């Protein structure tokens, strides 16, 4: 599959974006990429517990769309949407602690990678692995906004793969018929794990699903951060004005495999290289900023440097973070009782903790 | 105290909780103008308006998921399954998203999923199910199974006020057949506490929902025909289980029959048997035995349904056997 | 909601329909209606066990579409599709025995109403209650045809309500992307139980869902049996020729409530009467037959009489059928073991059968 | 006999059955060119072509339902769940459509749903589940949980040949860690028969899947450190359960520990305890006790996961307690 046409004319700057905001968009995309690069290093040092999922080449989708939200709007990210969480105020330190399973991570080590949220203050919500489920959940979040007449909007991401789930279907249909202020962003990065989009769905465009739910549907260039921002803001403000749900298909490309372990042998030769060289969202935006927008290169270099310093500190802090407290495993299943009972056989032990090498060790000598 | 039916008790609980707390609202298929397949929500639309009584598309995952989202935002949704047989369609989002929300993400998810369960009504394999056992295995959920109008009302009120997700199994055989007094005022029955439905000395029947009525019938016959004094413990909630009440009845009678309408293998009785083993083995004078449905999908024809399901006669026979053990 | 425009020009007779086939279409529609009327009588006499579901006013949808299938094609009916099953060879006697829970009913009393099938000889498949599930199942039936290169087609019905299920979505998407020879007929009868279609889905037309799956989608007048036949045959033959799945939305109206117990108080005044008087599919077809097609009225009256005789016999036979054998409840859960174990407490009994009044009787005296 | 890994055993079973019977085919997410998330289907696409190794959309209900339809037409589908955690997404169609097909409609539905289950791998709450208990309660389904490469191969072949639907839980911790000899030729292990993994006199551990290895480790330590002779019964299939083998071990040792990795409440151990009560109560010198995971969603951080899950040490401790009872 060929890359889409490369450079968008920067003439199409959305009105109302200040100089500082243009720089902020750059900052968040760069921060996303740089943070993931740090994670790759940590992963190679076996300091990441579990898999590492990247959004390399897709940073504009997450950052551009989340940038269209207000502080009070609620975001539901998926695994490729680290950038959107950073826009919403998630910190690199939180992300690093999550990936390293630290006891002071946002989920206290219960959940992995970027499966975390903060609905109290920063208005983003922790995803689960089961694809599609966040769509009905966000239909309900935004139903609450409509019922209470709050001028707030929700935004939920799904991948091309996740559009095949029944949960996606039931959720977007519910939002549509209930006129919930919800924007559903379908991030079409051409693959679901190893499965190309054309084996996921026979539709010409995933945006064509919108008509079946009676909501507006558009397709946009997800590697153009400003176009992404523009189409998302349109949908967000329509939702805020009472215009109900809509669907946006963002065209992009997953350059780094499903997760770090994925060798991507199923990708046709040359495809990755073509996208990297001709359609990198940060390259494209950098060119627009330093070109049409006349931002001097040193301004951007200063941003890069700021990110480097920020991440140095975050990595050091995360590495110094304590591991989880074992006994915490029992806390917080319910509001009441606050702690699950310690089972009898563990209570028999002097100390609660198991021995050094857990798991069914002998399996190796079957 | 005035007598009301079980389904009226459900409706009263809904109305009172919606009056009390503006965050409470209902969602489900045909619950608005139609008032629900069993009329449990009859009159609610007129009283509370379409913003609090929402007819949904045929999308159990959709509206259960939406309930979770609304709950995160501070609302208290009550979802109706038209039949509890369809809660299977929301199985994944309930067990994976809802049940784990607090634990994995500190997300409050106060919501109720309620609806008619149970057989003895010639509903066939898809309108008679007792799917409680499928959820017993999911930490993060609570499960209530009231047997009486009083408990239907009191437990539903507790469920709506609970900070976590409660699956609320109403028994459709009992909807209009069970009629009884309900304490006046704000009658709340706490989750997790069993009810001693009948005291006895010789043998205990531990049960819930429709099983309670058969157990009481059986107890009466056993008393009359065999002079046996049979205790009946109505569990009322399965998650959390009232271990203390179970242990107490075992200690008193030393013989236990666990009765439920659901099929035997993998049913709730297994868990209860295990707990009795763990907590009161030394008090047992006989094995814990189960009276349950046979391990088949529930068939529709009366002769078949009656054969497949446990009956009062079965309890009587089993109890005599156990008493003589 | 207003009735759609009433009479279709009979000029649009599909090619290849013989005089006898025109009469057959009439026969099946009339048979459907007459059989349901018999069932209403039996229901009122409490001889039907459980609910009674009618297709009054929708007979053309089921009959016209099923008539487009060949004998070897597989049909998956829902509760409103009695007519399609009759076309496929189900007999009134089978239907009556099912509704009366007889031991010699097609499911030996295990399942109710028209939940039965015959995949061995007559190629229709027994539905379950859970809406939407038959779509993935039929995707698999037709996948088997494609994999084995058999020139067979499948047809599955869903209601307007069932289109909201995740199972519908996953099933039709699977069929589309796998190019299964499957025709999905959405029977839009304006209600799902009490819920009108516009509160089920915000789409302008349910046929608009087709584009989201990349399959052809048409909307047709489901109260015109010949148009229904024509559009279905087109989709069926496209599927047979390797053209993959498609979706047909048939516009119709459910005149008899969700089931016999349903008082339809939610229906706007006049709506039922308008459909009955101006858009009855049998009236319309009768007019076309006796008008443009020049079939003499006595020919049709003879068909009616034949149906009367047929149903008299079927009802008598069904009433004489034996009840189910209780012990049969244990048979056939698995191929092996062939019978579920009799539980210990029942084995204690002299006779296996429970006493006369089963169930939790005392509940009434709570 | 050559030693192979557990995942190789799975692959061998698939290859041999696909060679043997052209009706057998595979469906699942990323099972084709990619060979599956754990490479269980590696090489199958090249060998059998895209008509028999089908990459599906992310639609567990869609392709499990499609498997049922294909099975009705005489094919023998084998569905892969990328992780068994996602079988919840097919819960309704499996328990309602597939499980009842034969009973309600005489429809044959020979199919297998297989995939990686289990923890000890830092997979977090959605890539570590043991969802077998959720299906134990459904007449019409069969459930297999092999512990060894030999059983993984032999049981999978039996499952594929079975006339009904078999849920096949492979343990991902064991995929590459368990290595062992597999009998040559057409090695089929019948469903429904347990395996005595170790003989003993003092106490029995009844378990399955990863629990078998921990039980064996514990048995060895108990022998060495306490001179206890511990029997280990590997159930291998949970539906049907091998009652005879369970009763036999109870009669031999009179003390039973049931061990599984899944959470306690509502887990499989309850059913096993109930059966032992029913079939061998008089042979018990001590209560049947359970060693299981704690009742929490499985957390991700190593310290938390290790705390929540049952460990070999736990079995040792519990066994000592039970032996001294
Ligand atoms: C219901 C469900 N089934 C299967 C999986 C396993 N899985 C994890 S990611 C993935 C592919 C997702 O593809 P897509 O939605 O396109 O998102 P992307 O990874 O491309 O961002 C799959 C199949 C899952 N998480 N949930
Ligand atoms: C998954 C599921 N949820 C709920 C129901 C209960 N139910 C039975 S029929 C029905 C309405 C169906 O409407 P529609 O699909 O339009 O079919 P119609 O009855 O109009 O032919 C509902 C909600 C069900 N059968 N399955
Ligand atoms: Mg993708
Ligand atoms: Mg309808």
């Amino acid at each position: 599959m060929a890359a889409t046409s490369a450079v968008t004319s920067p003439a199409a700057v959305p009105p109302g974006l200040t100089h500082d905001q243009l720089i902020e968009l750059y900052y968040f995309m760069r921060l996303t990429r740089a943070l993931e690069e740090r994670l790759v290093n940590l992963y190679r040092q076996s300091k990441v517990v579990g898999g590492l999922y990247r959004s390399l080449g897709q940073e504009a989708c997450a950052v551009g769309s989340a940038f269209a939200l207000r502080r009070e709007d609620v975001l539901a990210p998926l695994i490729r949407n680290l950038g959107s969480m950073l826009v919403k105020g998630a910190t690199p330190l939180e992300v690093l602690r999550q990936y390293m399973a630290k006891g002071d991570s946002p989920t206290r080590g219960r959940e992995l990678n970027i499966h975390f949220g903060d609905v109290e203050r920063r208005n983003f919500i922790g995803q689960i692995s089961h694809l599609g489920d966040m769509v009905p959940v966000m239909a309900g979040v935004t139903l609450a906004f409509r019922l209470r007449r709050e001028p707030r909007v929700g935004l939920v991401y799904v991948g091309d793969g996740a559009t095949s789930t029944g949960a996606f279907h039931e959720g977007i249909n519910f939002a549509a018929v209930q006129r919930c202020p919800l924007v559903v962003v379908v991030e079409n990065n051409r693959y679901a794990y190893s499965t190309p989009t054309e084996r996921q769905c026979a539709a010409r465009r995933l945006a064509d699903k919108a008509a079946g739910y009676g909501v507006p549907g558009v397709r946009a260039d997800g590697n153009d951060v400003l176009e992404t921002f523009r189409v998302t803001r349109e949908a967000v403000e329509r939702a805020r004005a009472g215009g109900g749900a809509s669907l946006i298909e963002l065209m992009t490309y997953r350059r780094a495999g499903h997760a770090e372990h994925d060798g991507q042998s199923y990708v046709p030769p040359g495809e990755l290289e073509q996208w990297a060289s001709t359609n990198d969202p940060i390259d494209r935006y950098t060119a627009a900023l330093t070109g049409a927008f006349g931002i001097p290169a040193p301004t951007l270099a200063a941003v890069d440097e700021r990110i480097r310093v920020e991440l140095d500190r975050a990595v050091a802090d995360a590495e110094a973070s304590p591991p989880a407290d074992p006994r915490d495993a029992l806390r917080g299943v319910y509001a009441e009782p606050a702690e699950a009972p310690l089972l009898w056989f563990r209570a028999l032990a002097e100390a609660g903790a198991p021995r050094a090498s857990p798991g069914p060790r002998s399996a190796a000598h079957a | 105290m005035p007598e009301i039916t079980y389904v009226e008790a459900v409706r009263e609980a809904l109305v009172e909780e919606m009056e009390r707390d503006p965050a409470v609202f209902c969602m489900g298929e045909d619950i608005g103008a139609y008032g629900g397949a069993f009329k449990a929500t009859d009159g609610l639309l007129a009283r509370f308006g379409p913003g609090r009584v929402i007819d949904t598309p045929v999308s159990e995952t959709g509206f259960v998921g939406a309930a979770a989202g609304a709950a995160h935002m501070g609302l208290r949704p009550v979802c109706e399954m038209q039949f509890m047989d369809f809660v299977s369609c929301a199985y994944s989002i309930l067990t994976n998203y809802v049940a784990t929300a607090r634990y994995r993400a500190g997300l409050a998810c106060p919501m109720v999923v309620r609806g008619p369960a149970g057989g003895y009504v010639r509903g066939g394999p898809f309108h008679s199910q007792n799917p409680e056992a499928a959820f017993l295995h999911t930490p993060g959920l609570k499960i209530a199974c009231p047997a009486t109008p009083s408990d239907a009302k009191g437990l539903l009120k507790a469920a709506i006020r609970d900070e976590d997700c409660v699956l609320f199994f109403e028994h459709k055989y009992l909807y209009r057949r069970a009629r009884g007094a309900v304490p006046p005022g704000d009658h709340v029955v706490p989750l997790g506490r069993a009810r001693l439905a009948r005291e006895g000395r010789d043998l205990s029947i531990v049960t819930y929902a429709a099983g309670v009525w058969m157990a009481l019938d059986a107890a009466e016959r056993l008393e009359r025909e065999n002079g046996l004094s049979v205790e009946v413990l109505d569990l009322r909630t399965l998650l959390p289980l009232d271990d203390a009440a179970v242990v107490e009845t075992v200690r008193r009678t030393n013989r236990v029959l666990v009765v439920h309408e659901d099929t035997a293998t993998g049913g709730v009785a297994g868990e209860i048997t295990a707990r009795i083993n763990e907590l009161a083995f030394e008090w047992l004078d006989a094995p814990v035995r189960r009276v349950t449905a046979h391990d088949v999908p529930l068939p529709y024809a009366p002769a078949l349904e009656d054969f497949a399901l446990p009956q009062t006669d079965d309890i009587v026979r089993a109890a005599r056997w156990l008493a003589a053990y």
Side-chain angles (χ1 to χ4, degrees), chain A residues 58 79-80 129-131 158-162 165 187 189 191-193 254 258:
Chain A
Q58 304 179 222
I79 196 68
R80 310 286 171 214
S129 298
H130 290 68
L131 292 171
V158 290
D160 41 282
T165 62
E187 195 169 356
N189 63 3
Y191 288 96
Y193 213 139
R254 194 199 69 200
H258 177 62

Side-chain angles (χ1 to χ4, degrees), chain B residues 3 30 33-34 37 55 57-59 82 85-86 88-89 120 122-127 149 173-174 177-180 210 213-214 217 221 257 289-297 299-304 306-307 309 311-314 317-318 321:
Chain B
E3 297 224 327
D30 309 294
Y34 193 70
D55 274 335
V58 185
S59 301
Q82 198 156 85
D85 308 61
F86 305 125
S88 60
C89 299
Y120 302 100
R122 290 57 174 114
F126 308 114
H127 290 78
Y173 179 94
L174 302 179
R177 293 185 184 87
R179 169 180 289 280
W213 298 108
M214 292 193 290
D217 288 351
R221 266 185 59 198
L257 208 56
R289 297 300 303 254
R290 299 183 280 189
V291 174
T292 65
H294 288 81
D295 282 337
V296 302
Y300 146 71
L304 300 178
D306 292 345
F307 189 91
L309 287 177
Q311 306 292 349
T312 301
D313 272 15
D314 296 319
R317 231 180 288 114
W321 180 91

Side-chain angles (χ1 to χ4, degrees), chain A residues 287-299:
Chain A
L289 286 177
T290 54
F293 295 119
I295 310 254
T299 305

